[in-house]
């Protein structure tokens, strides 16, 4: 299995650390595989397969079908109809978007060094805008959004009152709050009643600044 993994590294021109950042698999895991200390679980094989664009069974060494196209060519004729292939690809394919960690002050928001992994969204969703994921830190949005959850965010610089948004305050780390708009300013509300609302006048919005960078459209809880 490890030999095939190394083959993919060479083909894509990446290193273990690049794969680790993209998939969330610890870099030490690859060393353990190489030394024979452990074998990859199916979940990790699927992550590698998605990253490299190959089949998990090929990486595991249990199949010679490296890609989905290879699989179709070697399958029974019943699978080789254009209609069925189109249906299968519609179900299985999507678009990968970066998941960001905390956004450091003064740094480009979507710079690659902030990427801690990837999530997949449907191609239909992708048509509606540009998206990124953000890992939630803290319990201010509990119980609806918990610490460690990943929210899917559509990039936009404004939102409607009542929307859940991602906001940068004073150029600092991104925060997830419910937006309420008023004539003289805004409030950013937490779902957890232990946290007080964050209120800003129109002058403070411009001066700090307080900047909306996206609207939360989906929450993916991790267990």
């Amino acid at each position: 299995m490890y030999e095939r993994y190394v083959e993919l590294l060479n083909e894509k021109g990446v290193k273990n650390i690049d794969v680790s950042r993209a998939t969330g698999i610890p870099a030490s895991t690859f060393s353990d595989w190489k030394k024979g200390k452990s074998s990859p679980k199916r979940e990790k094989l699927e992550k590698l397969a998605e990253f490299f664009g190959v089949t998990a069974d090929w990486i595991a060494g249990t199949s010679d079908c490296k890609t989905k196209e290879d699989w179709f060519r070697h399958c029974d004729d019943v699978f080789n109809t254009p209609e069925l292939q189109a249906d299968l690809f519609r179900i299985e394919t999507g678009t990968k978007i970066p998941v960001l960690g905390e956004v450091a002050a003064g740094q480009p928001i979507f710079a690659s060094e902030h990427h801690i992994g990837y999530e997949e969204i449907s191609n239909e969703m992708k048509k509606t805008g540009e998206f990124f994921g953000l890992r939630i830190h803290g319990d201010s949005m509990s119980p609806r959004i918990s610490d460690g959850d990943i929210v899917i965010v559509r990039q936009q610089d404004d939102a409607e009152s009542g929307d859940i948004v991602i906001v940068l305050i004073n150029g600092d780390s991104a925060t997830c709050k419910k937006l309420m708009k008023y004539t003289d300013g805004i409030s950013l509300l937490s779902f957890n009643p232990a946290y007080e609302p964050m209120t800003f006048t129109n002058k403070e919005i411009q001066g700090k600044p307080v900047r909306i960078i996206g609207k939360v459209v989906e929450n993916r809880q991790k267990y």
Side-chain angles (χ1 to χ4, degrees):
M1 169 266 165
Y2 192 77
E3 291 74 14
R4 291 191 170 186
Y5 169 68
V6 172
E7 179 181 326
L8 292 171
L9 289 178
N10 293 331
E11 286 180 0
K12 199 173 182 69
V14 295
K15 299 178 180 179
N16 284 337
I17 189 63
D18 301 313
V19 180
S20 177
R21 288 171 177 166
T23 63
I25 300 173
S28 60
T29 302
F30 304 121
S31 178
D32 290 341
W33 292 348
K34 182 179 181 179
K35 296 175 182 177
K37 291 183 178 180
S38 64
S39 298
K41 295 181 179 180
R42 187 70 188 185
E43 177 187 356
K44 289 184 172 62
L45 285 173
E46 294 288 355
K47 289 182 178 180
L48 291 175
E50 180 181 356
F51 176 76
F52 286 109
V54 299
T55 65
D57 290 333
W58 183 85
I59 299 177
T62 58
S63 171
D64 290 328
C65 295
K66 189 173 183 178
T67 66
K68 291 175 181 177
E69 290 80 2
D70 291 338
W71 185 85
F72 280 126
R73 282 195 292 269
H74 288 85
C75 276
D76 221 69
D77 287 343
V78 68
F79 292 105
N80 285 325
T81 65
E83 294 81 6
L84 182 55
Q85 291 188 26
D87 286 342
L88 287 171
F89 277 112
R90 257 198 306 273
I91 294 170
E92 295 182 0
T93 60
T95 299
K96 288 195 295 185
I97 59 172
V99 175
L100 310 181
E102 293 186 69
V103 180
Q107 296 294 319
I109 295 167
F110 301 108
S112 59
E113 56 262 33
H114 294 312
H115 296 185
I116 58 174
Y118 291 86
E119 288 285 325
E120 187 172 289
I121 62 173
S122 70
N123 290 327
E124 288 302 312
M125 179 182 287
K126 176 63 178 175
K127 293 176 183 177
T128 66
E130 294 297 323
F131 292 83
F132 64 93
L134 185 70
R135 181 178 289 169
I136 297 298
H137 297 272
D139 64 350
S140 67
M141 297 301 280
S142 294
R144 186 168 174 183
I145 303 175
S146 302
D147 181 56
D149 286 355
I150 292 177
V151 291
I152 306 301
V153 184
R154 182 171 58 238
Q155 293 182 38
Q156 53 189 71
D157 57 12
D158 197 7
E160 299 296 327
S161 188
D163 287 344
I164 300 173
V165 295
I166 304 300
V167 181
L168 288 181
I169 300 172
N170 198 29
D172 209 342
S173 299
T175 184
C176 179
K177 299 294 179 195
K178 180 178 179 179
L179 172 69
M180 296 302 295
K181 287 185 170 182
Y182 307 103
T183 304
D184 57 350
I186 63 171
S187 287
L188 300 176
L189 309 180
S190 300
F191 290 135
N192 187 337
Y195 291 82
E196 294 291 329
M198 304 168 68
T199 301
F200 303 93
T201 65
N202 290 329
K203 183 178 180 180
E204 288 173 326
I205 292 171
Q206 296 297 321
K208 282 186 178 291
V210 179
R211 184 160 70 94
I212 294 171
I213 62 173
K215 174 185 174 181
V216 174
V217 297
E218 184 180 334
N219 180 36
R220 298 183 178 180
Q221 295 187 320
K222 304 298 180 181
Y223 297 98

